Amino acid sequence: GQLLTQADSGKTVVFFAAAATLIKLPAPELGMVFNFISAITATGDHEIQALTNDHGFLGGCTIMNTTADQTNAFSAATDGNNDFITMNGIAGSAWRIVAILDASAAKCWAAHGNLIGSGNTTTPFADA
């Protein structure tokens, strides 16, 4: 996978490949922000991973869906243990991830997504 750096803060990562992609966040520093958007409908999982298991996500996402009755919303575990986000949606799906605590603390990242799905909707948040 690709490891982002502190210098990448403020940039937008665009997923141009349909195949699986892994992007790792750097060690969080208060105020860092990363944007992710898919320019193509995924055939594999686009994963965003915290650098370590201790740098978990808070927040949530809404998922609009092309399948009737499958629009949904999901939140990350409130204990901050979710350190993976799987973004395998339709083109236009997006995340904004902001460092809300420094690397010495859990629950470092606030993640907010607006995703577009098809078929059965499942949570994008997971533990390593």
Side-chain angles (χ1 to χ4, degrees), residues 5-94:
T5 67
Q6 178 184 2
D8 293 321
S9 179
K11 293 182 180 176
T12 298
V13 175
V14 180
F15 294 105
F16 285 110
T21 306
L22 172 63
I23 304 288
K24 281 193 169 191
L25 298 171
E29 293 183 18
L30 184 62
M32 288 173 124
V33 61
F34 298 95
N35 298 293
F36 298 87
I37 190 162
S38 183
I40 190 166
T41 297
T43 58
D45 292 340
H46 294 156
E47 294 182 319
I48 303 166
Q49 180 184 6
L51 186 61
T52 75
N53 295 350
D54 295 328
H55 300 162
F57 298 106
L58 297 175
C61 68
T62 55
I63 303 177
M64 290 69 68
N65 202 302
T66 60
T67 304
D69 301 326
Q70 285 296 313
T71 294
N72 213 326
F74 297 96
S75 61
T78 57
D79 61 10
N81 283 340
N82 294 151
D83 57 340
F84 268 91
I85 293 173
T86 300
M87 179 178 164
N88 57 1
I90 292 175
S93 295

